[in-house]
Amino acid sequence: EADLICVFVGGAVSDSGVYLLPQGSRLYEAIEAAGGMTEDADSYYLNQAKILEDAEQIIVLTTQEVQERKEQIRQQDWSISIPQMCHS
């Protein structure tokens, strides 16, 4: 088992769960182990070439969930208050 990593794959995949994969596995291999993405999954926001580490949690979002998160970010107030310096 020293050559294996344990990862959780959930969200918009066919079979969410914990999977044992060989060290050096990439994200796409974890998704394949979970039965692949569902039809409504958004495959573009994940770096599927990423090399995984032990105990990672991978959550595949749907296209709708990605759009909702983008909208939440747009609605956040990004204004920054900078104190004014007074010189006498």
Side-chain angles (χ1 to χ4, degrees):
E1 276 193 40
D3 294 337
L4 296 176
I5 60 170
C6 183
V7 298
F8 173 81
V9 185
V13 293
S14 295
D15 191 19
S16 295
V18 175
Y19 295 91
L20 290 174
L21 300 169
Q23 279 187 344
S25 291
R26 299 197 181 260
L27 186 123
Y28 80 90
E29 294 170 305
I31 293 170
E32 285 177 358
M37 294 184 185
T38 60
E39 286 185 24
D40 60 342
D42 187 321
S43 63
Y44 295 104
Y45 82 99
L46 292 172
N47 176 4
Q48 294 188 48
K50 177 186 184 297
I51 296 175
L52 299 174
E53 295 181 21
D54 188 45
E56 281 201 55
Q57 177 176 323
I58 302 150
I59 303 297
V60 178
L61 300 178
T62 65
T63 302
Q64 180 179 348
E65 290 169 329
V66 170
Q67 291 304 318
E68 288 170 0
R69 289 184 184 197
K70 285 179 182 178
E71 187 59 33
Q72 287 172 352
I73 290 169
R74 278 191 215 108
Q75 291 176 359
Q76 288 179 355
D77 182 7
W78 291 100
S79 62
I80 299 172
S81 177
I82 301 173
Q84 294 184 357
M85 304 293 267
C86 297
H87 297 281
S88 340

